[in-house]
Amino acid sequence: METSSIILLLVSASISFALGRVIVHFRNVKRKRQSLERQAQEKQNCPPEPESKNKAKRKRQLQELNKAQRKKAPVAK
């Protein structure tokens, strides 16, 4: 093989490898984003915990519930 054909082979192989890695990277990023969105949706759709008999814990649960509701519905100015 000639030197120019070896160089061309190496360049094309390196471009092919790099392109493959870029595709895999973006696919993994997309999968991770979809996974996080799915987890957030599942967390949002899960039924609320039953009220605790502990007064302090019940108060915290109500505060968390109110905070989540305020995030969902933006307040009009």
Side-chain angles (χ1 to χ4, degrees):
M1 288 178 84
E2 294 179 22
T3 306
S4 61
S5 62
I6 292 172
I7 292 172
L8 184 63
L9 180 64
L10 289 175
V11 169
S12 65
S14 61
I15 290 172
S16 173
F17 178 75
L19 192 61
R21 293 304 305 159
V22 167
I23 291 170
V24 168
H25 169 72
F26 284 118
R27 189 179 346 153
N28 289 341
V29 168
K30 182 179 176 184
R31 283 182 183 165
K32 187 172 186 176
R33 184 174 11 99
Q34 287 175 343
S35 173
L36 291 174
E37 289 173 355
R38 192 177 322 113
Q39 288 175 354
Q41 187 68 29
E42 288 174 358
K43 187 175 182 181
Q44 191 176 34
N45 292 340
C46 71
E49 294 181 19
E51 270 194 9
S52 174
K53 293 181 181 180
N54 183 330
K55 185 178 178 181
K57 187 173 182 182
R58 217 175 28 242
K59 188 176 179 181
R60 278 195 312 272
Q61 286 175 335
L62 286 173
Q63 288 174 346
E64 289 174 3
L65 184 64
N66 289 338
K67 188 185 288 186
Q69 288 175 348
R70 275 188 260 135
K71 281 186 177 181
K72 286 182 185 178
V75 178
K77 291 184 180 179

